[in-house]
Amino acid sequence: MAGLYIHIPFCSSRCIYCGFYSTTLLSLRGEYINAICKEFDLRRDYIHEQIDTIYIGGGTPSQLREEELHRLFDTIYNNKVYDISPNAEITMECNPDDITADMADTISQLPINRISMGVQTFNNSRLKFIRRRHTAEQIGSAISMLRHAGISNISIDLMFGFPDETINEWNDDVSHALALDVQHISAYSLTYEEGTSLHNMLAKGIVSETDEELSRTMYYNLSERLIGAGYEHYEISNFALPGFRSRHNGNYWKGIPYIGIGAAAHSFDTVSRQWNIADIRKYIESINNGIIPMEREELDTDTCYNDTVMTALRTCEGIDLQKLEMTFGKPYTDYLLANAEKHISSGNLCLSQSHLSLTRNGLFVSDGIMSDLMKV
């Protein structure tokens, strides 16, 4: 089975940290949804598999109007290109301030069965600093409305390591998150990506990065508290109550094919990666001319091996060495283990029952470990 990702790039304003492709041209919503629906028709020569997961991401998908959401899902289910599994996990990202009683009712009329909400923090001054549109008070209200509408699988995103954030402030955020009793929590350290307003502020000395030791303490506190509350720490940045892991993201980490629809959307078919142009006007124009504005990269064996290391090692199961050897051959397994030896000795990696996985200490320094295990 495969996954389906649909990129909705619209935002009414841009957050200072976001490096994803987005646009504030809300007037193009109707044209864009029309183009997405046409792209489905143009996809007839691409991956033909049953779709097991659908993820509507952005941008801010909850900025779409009711008729646009209905049109999108009518196309998803009636496009005659992809067969949607009756048990598909269907996620839509949303912002708390977009969830009104009417929006919750619209969601309840659609096949959506999972919501991923961008919370980031419960500190109102910090929300204002990063230019989020919602307030802390709107978060609980939005979740209540979604539950009342029948959505019983809700994930929230948190961030830590904001400039001048203290460990007590972060612990308060974790306490607020636990009080919501949601099924899934993702938490990410604030990053300063080039091209973002936040990166420019860093370069000008307006803000400074969080000390690495404090950031490590925040991460460990989060993990300990969520595990203590019954969540599984099943991937570096993700925690879920039993039975509520993200199936869509899990497929990325397992190397399962996925199709990306929309401007800047990426696709993967196990032998190549493809990505659509990250320009909404050029995307719409090209689709209207019957051409998917896509670039393609063929993947060689080393690249596929590196992808496997990078994704599988993020999960609590780690790298299945038997599967790795069956897929790439014994020389790749030998290479992996030879380069992993120093990290096993230092306690950052664990080798158990033919699986190589990160230890608690290794989670925070995972990027360096993965780099050491890759083919260059």
Side-chain angles (χ1 to χ4, degrees):
M1 293 187 178
L4 174 64
Y5 175 81
I6 299 173
H7 191 65
I8 307 297
F10 301 105
C11 293
S12 63
S13 60
R14 284 195 180 92
C15 302
I16 65 172
Y17 56 81
C18 185
F20 292 111
Y21 175 66
S22 65
T23 177
T24 57
L25 297 172
L26 298 181
S27 61
L28 294 178
R29 284 177 295 186
E31 287 183 66
Y32 184 72
I33 293 301
N34 288 341
I36 278 181
C37 294
K38 290 177 183 176
E39 186 179 350
F40 274 95
D41 287 333
L42 298 175
R43 285 276 176 175
R44 296 184 183 279
D45 294 332
Y46 293 84
I47 301 172
H48 291 272
E49 296 189 46
Q50 187 175 57
I51 299 298
D52 185 51
T53 65
I54 300 172
Y55 196 100
I56 317 293
T60 315
S62 52
Q63 286 280 291
L64 293 181
R65 293 166 289 206
E66 179 180 358
E67 63 270 20
E68 291 158 351
L69 283 167
H70 278 285
R71 173 121 200 266
L72 176 60
F73 276 94
D74 284 345
T75 299
I76 290 172
Y77 276 85
N78 298 308
N79 64 83
K80 297 183 173 59
V81 177
Y82 302 120
D83 176 32
I84 311 300
S85 166
N87 298 314
E89 174 194 84
I90 305 174
T91 303
M92 186 177 85
E93 291 182 350
C94 70
N95 279 5
D97 52 301
D98 287 333
I99 301 302
T100 61
D102 286 343
M103 174 57 83
D105 182 61
T106 296
I107 291 171
S108 73
Q109 298 170 30
L110 298 168
I112 297 165
N113 51 34
R114 185 175 183 270
I115 288 291
S116 178
M117 185 179 292
V119 169
Q120 317 314 357
T121 177
F122 295 87
N123 183 305
N124 278 323
S125 62
R126 195 157 283 126
L127 284 169
K128 186 175 181 179
F129 166 71
I130 60 176
R131 296 181 196 162
R132 296 294 290 178
R133 291 181 287 114
H134 69 273
T135 64
E137 293 73 25
Q138 288 175 302
I139 298 166
S141 176
I143 288 174
S144 295
M145 283 187 278
L146 289 168
R147 284 176 173 153
H148 183 72
I151 301 295
S152 58
N153 188 356
I154 298 174
S155 175
I156 63 171
D157 286 352
L158 297 177
M159 283 185 167
F160 62 93
F162 292 103
D164 301 319
E165 184 179 21
T166 67
I167 189 65
N168 288 335
E169 289 172 331
W170 171 237
N171 285 336
D172 284 344
D173 270 358
V174 177
S175 295
H176 282 296
L178 286 170
L180 294 174
D181 196 27
V182 292
Q183 287 68 40
H184 189 281
I185 297 174
S186 299
Y188 307 96
S189 176
L190 183 68
T191 56
Y192 295 76
E193 293 194 41
E194 285 192 34
T196 64
S197 297
L198 185 64
H199 184 271
N200 292 337
M201 293 170 72
L202 180 69
K204 293 176 181 177
I206 299 172
V207 298
S208 57
E209 294 186 70
T210 299
D211 173 77
E212 183 175 324
E213 193 55 41
L214 175 58
S215 186
R216 184 195 301 265
T217 301
M218 289 176 169
Y219 181 72
Y220 288 156
N221 280 13
L222 169 77
S223 179
E224 289 170 2
R225 293 188 65 188
L226 294 192
I227 290 172
Y231 289 83
E232 300 175 301
H233 191 176
Y234 73 100
E235 192 270 346
I236 288 175
S237 301
N238 288 275
F239 304 79
L241 294 176
F244 288 96
R245 295 186 183 189
S246 169
R247 284 162 51 192
H248 185 84
N249 288 339
N251 287 348
Y252 290 153
W253 305 321
K254 295 173 185 174
I256 292 173
Y258 54 89
I259 304 103
I261 303 285
H266 286 236
S267 302
F268 169 71
D269 62 6
T270 74
V271 295
S272 71
R273 284 191 284 255
Q274 309 100 47
W275 56 94
N276 289 351
I277 190 170
D279 183 310
I280 189 169
R281 293 189 186 277
K282 290 181 180 178
Y283 168 80
I284 292 172
E285 180 182 5
S286 183
I287 292 294
N288 287 340
N289 288 326
I291 300 169
I292 301 176
M294 174 196 297
E295 292 187 55
R296 181 185 181 95
E297 176 194 8
E298 299 295 331
L299 304 177
D300 59 24
T301 304
D302 282 359
T303 301
C304 290
Y305 161 82
N306 289 343
D307 286 349
T308 297
V309 169
M310 184 174 63
T311 54
L313 203 59
R314 292 186 63 89
T315 67
C316 60
E317 291 82 11
I319 300 170
D320 184 333
L321 298 178
Q322 292 181 346
K323 182 179 178 181
L324 187 81
E325 186 165 324
M326 287 176 59
T327 304
F328 299 103
K330 192 172 185 300
Y332 280 89
T333 307
D334 290 344
Y335 176 89
L336 175 77
L337 290 175
N339 286 277
E341 186 175 347
K342 65 179 180 181
H343 296 294
I344 295 172
S345 299
S346 67
N348 288 328
L349 283 174
C350 174
L351 180 59
S352 176
Q353 297 180 345
S354 77
H355 280 73
L356 186 68
S357 58
L358 292 166
T359 63
R360 179 180 182 274
N361 289 335
L363 287 170
F364 192 77
V365 291
S366 58
D367 287 349
I369 296 172
M370 292 174 188
S371 179
D372 286 347
L373 303 182
M374 290 181 181
K375 287 275 215 173
V376 292

